[in-house]
Amino acid sequence: MSCRSSRDMGMVQKLDQKLPVANEYLLLSGGVREGVVDLDLDELNVYARGTDYDMDFTLLVPALKLHDRNQPVTLDMRHSALCHSWLSLRLFDEGTISKWKDCCTIADHINGATNYFFSPTKVADWFYDSISIVLSEIQKKPQRGMPKVEKVEKNGTIISIILGVGSSRMLYDIVPVVSFKGWPAVAQSWLMENHFWDGKITEEEVISGFYLVPACSYKGKKDNEWRLSFARSEVQLKKCISGSLMQAYQACKAIIIKLLSRPKAISPYHLRSMMLWACDRLPVSYLAQEDYAAHFLLGLIDDLQHCLVNKMCPNYFIPQCNMLEHLSEETVMLHARKLSSVRSDPAEHLRTAIEHVKAANRLTLKLQRRGSTTSIPSPQSDGGDPNQPDDRLAKKLQQLVTENPGKSISVFINPDDVTRPHFRIDDKFF
């Protein structure tokens, strides 16, 4: 996380004391559009790598951090589809309710008391307003060496910020979440099954926590419904996936992300779920083959076609939740025909996807060269300032992510000293 992002989150906490003081943010390589979190992409503006940004990340920011095992939690799933829940604050202390009641919807409880439900849309609105206030204050007193804010947009319940760091542009999709320790009862049966990661990582690593993210089901109530997310667990599971399968997944994602973008049906997260199911289904010896990336790519395309035609893609952690059950027959057949075209000549489609990536990289380099040759020191930017932002910050962050594949990267920030964030990679602090 960049120094500016660190500082912004610390200032948001100090603004109205809503965010937890000792907070822990999960930083994921790849933006929301890349499927790193199970969120709906329909409301997101289209950003293009190379044109709008050079590197992308997702930052999960706990608005509530429920890590105390003595803290009573009321996940109310009576009104929700599987894998979704309302969150009642009825059993919370008066201080928490008073702090957050402007971000709640209100309903009468059966005993006549007022019941406050933590609202994902209201929390997202508050979060965007708070970040906007903080950024406005920072821009009034610009400091040398700090990244430049190039864009701040609210996309549904997600806040997208693009920071200019030297000649690189870093996209952060910031997601307000509710953070839990432990494991939800609705996913308990999944732990009883055999999985590909058995014996490779411990169960404690896999079930260390989960989130509620601001997304509702197809027919859910947007103001009240949250979606269960196992992003931290997925980071751990990636450690157990072979390099050749990950290569095939990235190639398949590059092919389908544009091809199946309209009408919206298949997201990169669906493809990730199918990959995890394939890991459970296929022999370990087969998945370990280092030169089978092409075989794996064809297999993922076939799995995707099968899921589409049958309108069936179970959530990996809550298999009883079918993530494609809402699709219309018309949409299914349209995308199935597109996938058949890919399957008949996958090499050509992959070459096209690679050319798009190369074009984005060429555009990035062109913009970076243009920026380096035309930049003029501003009154706040002395050309000789050793603190002037350059690519070192962006490269350091990218290095941190790429050198720790499959590891959980968390960021701890002290709101009283936001200039010195601490990173935790798995259980080691830096």
Side-chain angles (χ1 to χ4, degrees):
M1 192 158 79
S2 75
C3 294
R4 161 145 274 171
S5 298
S6 306
R7 184 183 182 200
D8 294 349
M9 292 303 104
M11 292 181 69
V12 168
Q13 193 283 327
K14 299 186 85 169
L15 193 64
D16 56 12
Q17 307 295 313
K18 274 185 162 68
L19 292 182
V21 174
N23 216 353
E24 179 181 354
Y25 308 137
L26 183 64
L27 180 68
L28 302 169
S29 178
V32 167
R33 295 159 188 80
E34 296 293 315
V36 297
V37 183
D38 183 15
L39 288 167
D40 301 319
L41 308 183
D42 295 348
E43 296 181 317
L44 299 186
N45 291 335
V46 176
Y47 296 158
R49 184 184 296 273
T51 304
D52 301 298
Y53 66 90
D54 306 305
M55 290 179 284
D56 54 333
F57 303 92
T58 298
L59 188 66
L60 303 187
V61 177
L64 284 177
K65 191 173 73 169
L66 306 178
H67 290 191
D68 184 353
R69 295 187 182 276
N70 297 319
Q71 168 68 57
V73 176
T74 308
L75 290 179
D76 190 341
M77 299 183 178
R78 296 171 300 167
H79 313 285
S80 303
L82 281 167
C83 210
H84 297 80
S85 179
W86 294 20
L87 177 62
S88 171
L89 300 188
R90 182 172 57 88
L91 300 180
F92 284 64
D93 61 86
E94 285 296 326
T96 301
I97 294 175
S98 176
K99 186 189 299 183
W100 283 109
K101 65 182 179 182
D102 58 334
C103 291
C104 293
T105 59
I106 300 174
D108 291 332
H109 192 256
I110 192 169
N111 63 6
T114 301
N115 200 356
Y116 294 94
F117 288 100
F118 206 45
S119 169
T121 53
K122 291 189 176 186
V123 169
D125 289 342
W126 161 80
F127 196 45
Y128 175 71
D129 291 342
S130 298
I131 287 180
S132 298
I133 291 171
V134 165
L135 292 177
S136 176
E137 289 299 312
I138 289 175
Q139 288 168 348
K140 290 177 183 177
K141 300 176 182 178
Q143 295 184 10
R144 290 182 294 184
M146 295 299 290
K148 177 186 176 184
V149 178
E150 297 194 356
K151 183 178 290 187
V152 181
E153 287 187 336
K154 184 172 180 288
N155 294 288
T157 54
I158 299 163
I159 293 89
S160 297
I161 299 178
I162 296 179
L163 298 178
V165 185
S167 55
S168 296
R169 295 154 302 165
M170 303 167 69
L171 167 64
Y172 287 95
D173 286 325
I174 305 179
V175 186
V177 300
V178 181
S179 175
F180 294 84
K181 282 288 188 188
W183 199 248
V186 70
Q188 198 68 35
S189 61
W190 177 78
L191 294 175
M192 303 298 107
E193 305 293 333
N194 295 323
H195 297 291
F196 72 98
W197 48 267
D198 292 338
K200 298 177 182 177
I201 53 177
T202 66
E203 185 175 288
E204 287 71 24
E205 289 178 282
V206 175
I207 65 170
S208 61
F210 67 100
Y211 297 99
L212 295 182
V213 296
C216 71
S217 59
Y218 183 63
K219 294 182 179 180
K221 190 173 180 180
K222 283 188 174 183
D223 286 344
N224 283 356
E225 195 170 82
W226 298 79
R227 180 173 297 161
L228 274 73
S229 169
F230 303 91
R232 189 182 294 279
S233 302
E234 289 165 359
V235 169
Q236 299 297 328
L237 296 184
K238 279 178 65 179
K239 299 176 184 179
C240 307
I241 299 175
S242 69
S244 52
L245 180 54
M246 283 303 302
Q247 186 180 7
Y249 164 74
Q250 295 294 346
C252 192
K253 185 171 70 170
I255 293 172
I256 71 158
I257 202 167
K258 292 267 179 69
L259 186 71
L260 306 186
S261 61
R262 294 288 184 272
K264 193 68 72 177
I266 296 292
S267 77
Y269 188 81
H270 293 133
L271 183 62
R272 176 185 289 221
S273 299
M274 294 171 202
M275 177 180 65
L276 292 173
W277 281 119
C279 289
D280 273 356
R281 185 180 74 246
L282 296 170
V284 174
S285 58
Y286 176 73
L287 292 172
Q289 298 292 327
E290 294 183 1
D291 56 350
Y292 269 31
H295 298 74
F296 298 152
L297 173 58
L298 296 178
L300 286 172
I301 295 173
D302 290 342
D303 282 0
L304 191 55
Q305 184 79 292
H306 182 267
C307 288
L308 258 178
V309 171
N310 291 281
K311 291 201 296 185
M312 174 63 70
C313 180
N315 181 283
Y316 182 66
F317 300 93
I318 306 177
Q320 58 270 37
C321 172
N322 176 13
M323 297 187 290
L324 296 183
E325 65 180 354
H326 64 279
L327 294 184
S328 68
E329 292 296 333
E330 182 182 6
T331 298
V332 165
M333 294 313 297
L334 173 64
H335 286 317
R337 284 193 293 269
K338 290 180 180 179
L339 272 180
S340 294
S341 172
V342 172
R343 188 61 173 83
S344 65
D345 191 358
E348 179 58 33
H349 285 84
L350 184 56
R351 276 193 291 269
T352 301
I354 290 172
E355 284 304 316
H356 286 154
V357 172
K358 288 181 177 178
N361 290 338
R362 286 195 296 269
L363 181 57
T364 293
L365 291 172
K366 181 179 179 181
L367 291 172
Q368 288 176 345
R369 285 195 295 267
R370 183 185 301 170
S372 63
T373 56
T374 60
S375 60
I376 301 173
S378 67
Q380 294 83 27
S381 174
D382 181 357
D385 182 10
N387 293 320
Q388 180 66 20
D390 55 27
D391 284 345
R392 284 174 295 177
L393 179 60
K395 289 177 180 176
K396 180 180 179 182
L397 182 56
Q398 184 65 41
Q399 182 182 13
L400 186 68
V401 174
T402 56
E403 288 185 354
N404 296 277
K407 294 187 178 181
S408 171
I409 301 178
S410 303
V411 187
F412 295 84
I413 295 172
N414 178 354
D416 295 320
D417 185 8
V418 297
T419 63
R420 301 178 65 184
H422 297 281
F423 293 91
R424 186 182 76 181
I425 301 176
D426 282 350
D427 294 323
K428 296 181 180 179
F429 286 84
F430 295 85

PDB file of all heavy atoms in Angstrom, residues 323-338:
ATOM      1  N   MET A 323     -24.011 -19.935  -8.223  1.00  0.00           N
ATOM      2  CA  MET A 323     -23.760 -18.533  -8.603  1.00  0.00           C
ATOM      3  C   MET A 323     -24.283 -18.186  -9.999  1.00  0.00           C
ATOM      4  O   MET A 323     -24.222 -17.031 -10.409  1.00  0.00           O
ATOM      5  CB  MET A 323     -22.260 -18.243  -8.522  1.00  0.00           C
ATOM      6  CG  MET A 323     -21.691 -18.383  -7.122  1.00  0.00           C
ATOM      7  SD  MET A 323     -19.965 -17.842  -6.976  1.00  0.00           S
ATOM      8  CE  MET A 323     -19.106 -19.133  -7.889  1.00  0.00           C
ATOM      9  N   LEU A 324     -24.807 -19.178 -10.749  1.00  0.00           N
ATOM     10  CA  LEU A 324     -25.296 -18.901 -12.111  1.00  0.00           C
ATOM     11  C   LEU A 324     -26.791 -19.175 -12.278  1.00  0.00           C
ATOM     12  O   LEU A 324     -27.303 -19.118 -13.396  1.00  0.00           O
ATOM     13  CB  LEU A 324     -24.518 -19.757 -13.129  1.00  0.00           C
ATOM     14  CG  LEU A 324     -23.018 -19.494 -13.263  1.00  0.00           C
ATOM     15  CD1 LEU A 324     -22.433 -20.377 -14.362  1.00  0.00           C
ATOM     16  CD2 LEU A 324     -22.725 -18.028 -13.545  1.00  0.00           C
ATOM     17  N   GLU A 325     -27.478 -19.434 -11.190  1.00  0.00           N
ATOM     18  CA  GLU A 325     -28.872 -19.859 -11.320  1.00  0.00           C
ATOM     19  C   GLU A 325     -29.783 -18.769 -11.885  1.00  0.00           C
ATOM     20  O   GLU A 325     -30.860 -19.064 -12.406  1.00  0.00           O
ATOM     21  CB  GLU A 325     -29.416 -20.321  -9.969  1.00  0.00           C
ATOM     22  CG  GLU A 325     -29.504 -19.240  -8.911  1.00  0.00           C
ATOM     23  CD  GLU A 325     -30.061 -19.764  -7.600  1.00  0.00           C
ATOM     24  OE1 GLU A 325     -30.482 -20.956  -7.581  1.00  0.00           O
ATOM     25  OE2 GLU A 325     -30.082 -19.016  -6.620  1.00  0.00           O
ATOM     26  N   HIS A 326     -29.353 -17.519 -11.831  1.00  0.00           N
ATOM     27  CA  HIS A 326     -30.201 -16.415 -12.282  1.00  0.00           C
ATOM     28  C   HIS A 326     -30.114 -16.153 -13.783  1.00  0.00           C
ATOM     29  O   HIS A 326     -30.875 -15.343 -14.318  1.00  0.00           O
ATOM     30  CB  HIS A 326     -29.804 -15.134 -11.548  1.00  0.00           C
ATOM     31  CG  HIS A 326     -28.406 -14.683 -11.848  1.00  0.00           C
ATOM     32  ND1 HIS A 326     -27.310 -15.235 -11.227  1.00  0.00           N
ATOM     33  CD2 HIS A 326     -27.911 -13.764 -12.718  1.00  0.00           C
ATOM     34  CE1 HIS A 326     -26.213 -14.668 -11.684  1.00  0.00           C
ATOM     35  NE2 HIS A 326     -26.551 -13.775 -12.590  1.00  0.00           N
ATOM     36  N   LEU A 327     -29.201 -16.824 -14.497  1.00  0.00           N
ATOM     37  CA  LEU A 327     -28.992 -16.525 -15.917  1.00  0.00           C
ATOM     38  C   LEU A 327     -30.187 -16.937 -16.763  1.00  0.00           C
ATOM     39  O   LEU A 327     -30.804 -17.983 -16.522  1.00  0.00           O
ATOM     40  CB  LEU A 327     -27.741 -17.244 -16.432  1.00  0.00           C
ATOM     41  CG  LEU A 327     -26.388 -16.806 -15.861  1.00  0.00           C
ATOM     42  CD1 LEU A 327     -25.269 -17.563 -16.561  1.00  0.00           C
ATOM     43  CD2 LEU A 327     -26.186 -15.307 -16.004  1.00  0.00           C
ATOM     44  N   SER A 328     -30.482 -16.135 -17.773  1.00  0.00           N
ATOM     45  CA  SER A 328     -31.554 -16.470 -18.713  1.00  0.00           C
ATOM     46  C   SER A 328     -31.033 -17.461 -19.753  1.00  0.00           C
ATOM     47  O   SER A 328     -29.828 -17.534 -20.012  1.00  0.00           O
ATOM     48  CB  SER A 328     -32.063 -15.211 -19.410  1.00  0.00           C
ATOM     49  OG  SER A 328     -31.061 -14.691 -20.277  1.00  0.00           O
ATOM     50  N   GLU A 329     -31.947 -18.203 -20.355  1.00  0.00           N
ATOM     51  CA  GLU A 329     -31.560 -19.164 -21.397  1.00  0.00           C
ATOM     52  C   GLU A 329     -30.906 -18.444 -22.575  1.00  0.00           C
ATOM     53  O   GLU A 329     -29.962 -18.945 -23.178  1.00  0.00           O
ATOM     54  CB  GLU A 329     -32.790 -19.939 -21.865  1.00  0.00           C
ATOM     55  CG  GLU A 329     -33.378 -20.873 -20.824  1.00  0.00           C
ATOM     56  CD  GLU A 329     -32.416 -21.993 -20.450  1.00  0.00           C
ATOM     57  OE1 GLU A 329     -31.561 -22.354 -21.291  1.00  0.00           O
ATOM     58  OE2 GLU A 329     -32.514 -22.494 -19.313  1.00  0.00           O
ATOM     59  N   GLU A 330     -31.407 -17.260 -22.887  1.00  0.00           N
ATOM     60  CA  GLU A 330     -30.858 -16.487 -24.009  1.00  0.00           C
ATOM     61  C   GLU A 330     -29.392 -16.129 -23.766  1.00  0.00           C
ATOM     62  O   GLU A 330     -28.538 -16.287 -24.651  1.00  0.00           O
ATOM     63  CB  GLU A 330     -31.693 -15.220 -24.210  1.00  0.00           C
ATOM     64  CG  GLU A 330     -31.231 -14.363 -25.378  1.00  0.00           C
ATOM     65  CD  GLU A 330     -32.044 -13.088 -25.512  1.00  0.00           C
ATOM     66  OE1 GLU A 330     -32.891 -12.814 -24.624  1.00  0.00           O
ATOM     67  OE2 GLU A 330     -31.826 -12.360 -26.499  1.00  0.00           O
ATOM     68  N   THR A 331     -29.096 -15.656 -22.557  1.00  0.00           N
ATOM     69  CA  THR A 331     -27.713 -15.296 -22.211  1.00  0.00           C
ATOM     70  C   THR A 331     -26.815 -16.530 -22.233  1.00  0.00           C
ATOM     71  O   THR A 331     -25.685 -16.489 -22.732  1.00  0.00           O
ATOM     72  CB  THR A 331     -27.669 -14.639 -20.821  1.00  0.00           C
ATOM     73  OG1 THR A 331     -28.428 -13.430 -20.848  1.00  0.00           O
ATOM     74  CG2 THR A 331     -26.234 -14.315 -20.416  1.00  0.00           C
ATOM     75  N   VAL A 332     -27.312 -17.626 -21.686  1.00  0.00           N
ATOM     76  CA  VAL A 332     -26.540 -18.869 -21.644  1.00  0.00           C
ATOM     77  C   VAL A 332     -26.161 -19.319 -23.045  1.00  0.00           C
ATOM     78  O   VAL A 332     -24.996 -19.647 -23.324  1.00  0.00           O
ATOM     79  CB  VAL A 332     -27.338 -19.976 -20.916  1.00  0.00           C
ATOM     80  CG1 VAL A 332     -26.721 -21.351 -21.186  1.00  0.00           C
ATOM     81  CG2 VAL A 332     -27.383 -19.700 -19.422  1.00  0.00           C
ATOM     82  N   MET A 333     -27.118 -19.339 -23.952  1.00  0.00           N
ATOM     83  CA  MET A 333     -26.848 -19.832 -25.304  1.00  0.00           C
ATOM     84  C   MET A 333     -25.912 -18.894 -26.064  1.00  0.00           C
ATOM     85  O   MET A 333     -25.057 -19.344 -26.832  1.00  0.00           O
ATOM     86  CB  MET A 333     -28.164 -20.010 -26.066  1.00  0.00           C
ATOM     87  CG  MET A 333     -29.070 -21.099 -25.497  1.00  0.00           C
ATOM     88  SD  MET A 333     -28.190 -22.645 -25.150  1.00  0.00           S
ATOM     89  CE  MET A 333     -27.649 -23.104 -26.804  1.00  0.00           C
ATOM     90  N   LEU A 334     -26.059 -17.585 -25.836  1.00  0.00           N
ATOM     91  CA  LEU A 334     -25.186 -16.620 -26.496  1.00  0.00           C
ATOM     92  C   LEU A 334     -23.733 -16.862 -26.101  1.00  0.00           C
ATOM     93  O   LEU A 334     -22.835 -16.945 -26.957  1.00  0.00           O
ATOM     94  CB  LEU A 334     -25.613 -15.199 -26.125  1.00  0.00           C
ATOM     95  CG  LEU A 334     -24.683 -14.059 -26.602  1.00  0.00           C
ATOM     96  CD1 LEU A 334     -24.649 -14.007 -28.124  1.00  0.00           C
ATOM     97  CD2 LEU A 334     -25.123 -12.719 -26.019  1.00  0.00           C
ATOM     98  N   HIS A 335     -23.472 -16.996 -24.803  1.00  0.00           N
ATOM     99  CA  HIS A 335     -22.104 -17.187 -24.331  1.00  0.00           C
ATOM    100  C   HIS A 335     -21.588 -18.585 -24.643  1.00  0.00           C
ATOM    101  O   HIS A 335     -20.383 -18.766 -24.870  1.00  0.00           O
ATOM    102  CB  HIS A 335     -22.028 -16.909 -22.828  1.00  0.00           C
ATOM    103  CG  HIS A 335     -22.110 -15.453 -22.485  1.00  0.00           C
ATOM    104  ND1 HIS A 335     -21.423 -14.495 -23.192  1.00  0.00           N
ATOM    105  CD2 HIS A 335     -22.793 -14.781 -21.509  1.00  0.00           C
ATOM    106  CE1 HIS A 335     -21.676 -13.302 -22.669  1.00  0.00           C
ATOM    107  NE2 HIS A 335     -22.499 -13.451 -21.657  1.00  0.00           N
ATOM    108  N   ALA A 336     -22.478 -19.563 -24.656  1.00  0.00           N
ATOM    109  CA  ALA A 336     -22.053 -20.921 -25.005  1.00  0.00           C
ATOM    110  C   ALA A 336     -21.546 -20.972 -26.444  1.00  0.00           C
ATOM    111  O   ALA A 336     -20.548 -21.654 -26.736  1.00  0.00           O
ATOM    112  CB  ALA A 336     -23.213 -21.899 -24.810  1.00  0.00           C
ATOM    113  N   ARG A 337     -22.199 -20.238 -27.337  1.00  0.00           N
ATOM    114  CA  ARG A 337     -21.739 -20.186 -28.736  1.00  0.00           C
ATOM    115  C   ARG A 337     -20.382 -19.503 -28.833  1.00  0.00           C
ATOM    116  O   ARG A 337     -19.503 -19.922 -29.597  1.00  0.00           O
ATOM    117  CB  ARG A 337     -22.775 -19.469 -29.607  1.00  0.00           C
ATOM    118  CG  ARG A 337     -24.011 -20.305 -29.929  1.00  0.00           C
ATOM    119  CD  ARG A 337     -24.832 -19.683 -31.038  1.00  0.00           C
ATOM    120  NE  ARG A 337     -25.428 -18.421 -30.638  1.00  0.00           N
ATOM    121  CZ  ARG A 337     -26.644 -18.315 -30.085  1.00  0.00           C
ATOM    122  NH1 ARG A 337     -27.374 -19.410 -29.869  1.00  0.00           N
ATOM    123  NH2 ARG A 337     -27.134 -17.141 -29.745  1.00  0.00           N
ATOM    124  N   LYS A 338     -20.207 -18.443 -28.053  1.00  0.00           N
ATOM    125  CA  LYS A 338     -18.911 -17.755 -28.052  1.00  0.00           C
ATOM    126  C   LYS A 338     -17.801 -18.679 -27.556  1.00  0.00           C
ATOM    127  O   LYS A 338     -16.706 -18.715 -28.116  1.00  0.00           O
ATOM    128  CB  LYS A 338     -18.978 -16.503 -27.157  1.00  0.00           C
ATOM    129  CG  LYS A 338     -19.837 -15.372 -27.698  1.00  0.00           C
ATOM    130  CD  LYS A 338     -19.810 -14.197 -26.723  1.00  0.00           C
ATOM    131  CE  LYS A 338     -20.658 -13.034 -27.204  1.00  0.00           C
ATOM    132  NZ  LYS A 338     -20.643 -11.909 -26.238  1.00  0.00           N
TER     133      LYS A 338
END
